[in-house]
Amino acid sequence: MTQGIEGKVVVITGASSGLGAETARHLVQAGAKVALGARRLDRLEALAGELGDENCVAVKVDVSDREAVAALVDQAVKTFGHIDVMINNAGIMPLAPLEFLRFEEWDQCVDVNIKGVLWGIGAALPHFKAQKSGQFINVSSVAGHKVGPGGVVYSATKTAVGVISEGLRQEVKSYNIRTTVLSPGAVATELPASVKAEGLAEGVAQFYESTAIPASSFARCVLFAMSQPEDVDINEILFRPTKQDL
């Protein structure tokens, strides 16, 4: 599953914990170089120290800031000479019924989950076009396929990730660029902590505690998609805990 990964340069947003950090560990073990982006620079620097500074570059990034995302990609190219994969992983899950009118959370969810993916695409696409190769891995969710009460805004943003990715796939075929959407169910990360609405946070935390699978499950999906031959484009992987019924 690691064939073809050695020597690749991978940019990861949301890399300070959870899915991003565990994916970075798997990639470096497989011989890749990683550019780590997130808001918590101390966490990134600790991860870079764990993985070996020769394998990593850490950049403080808020993905809602287009220029900051571009700076992350530029730093990856400056450090390693090029980029091969852009993993748009950063995301938040501020679940709450619409009647709660949590307008600031709606704004933030759109800025991080949709615009953050667009800024990542915009930053990496010129490099991929110039070298006639590259791969986008955009992180959606099971919630991008199924909506429930309290999850309207989150599901809308994750559905948008799928739509953006499919449109991108069709547009960049002539540049030999691959596009993958990963849609995880409950995976053990800090994501439930972004649920702040009274009466929901405790239930979400309990659900994840009883159901979630390790972040390594996501990392293995990334490596699977990346390890395919250049003529194979894995467009979507939807996975969840075996016991998750939603």
Side-chain angles (χ1 to χ4, degrees), residues 53-222:
D53 291 331
E54 70 279 7
N55 299 315
C56 306
V57 59
V59 180
K60 184 175 181 178
V61 173
D62 180 341
V63 297
S64 66
D65 182 339
R66 178 173 58 85
E67 293 183 357
V69 178
L72 167 64
V73 172
D74 289 345
Q75 187 60 52
V77 173
K78 180 179 179 181
T79 303
F80 299 118
H82 69 286
I83 61 170
D84 298 292
V85 183
M86 180 75 199
I87 303 179
N88 291 305
N89 166 67
I92 57 173
M93 187 179 68
L95 303 178
L98 292 176
E99 65 179 301
F100 285 13
L101 302 180
R102 298 176 71 89
F103 298 128
E104 290 185 5
E105 289 186 349
W106 297 359
D107 273 339
Q108 188 180 21
C109 199
V110 170
D111 285 346
V112 173
N113 293 359
I114 298 179
K115 290 183 180 179
V117 171
L118 289 171
W119 301 156
I121 291 170
L125 186 54
H127 297 282
F128 290 170
K129 286 175 61 178
Q131 67 197 23
K132 297 285 187 180
S133 67
Q135 183 172 14
F136 289 103
I137 299 179
N138 299 327
V139 182
S140 179
S141 168
V142 167
H145 300 261
K146 183 179 181 66
V147 63
V152 173
V153 175
Y154 179 64
S155 287
T157 63
K158 289 304 187 178
T159 300
V161 172
V163 172
I164 291 165
S165 301
E166 172 57 16
L168 174 67
R169 181 192 69 80
Q170 296 179 40
E171 291 181 4
V172 300
K173 281 180 169 293
S174 61
Y175 303 110
N176 194 40
I177 298 170
R178 300 188 290 179
T179 302
T180 302
V181 181
L182 296 187
S183 297
V187 178
T189 69
E190 296 179 357
L191 190 63
S194 59
V195 181
K196 306 293 186 183
E198 185 177 352
L200 273 78
E202 182 177 322
V204 171
Q206 290 175 349
F207 171 73
Y208 269 73
E209 185 177 346
S210 65
T211 307
I213 51 180
S216 58
S217 61
F218 176 90
R220 292 194 302 272
C221 289
V222 170

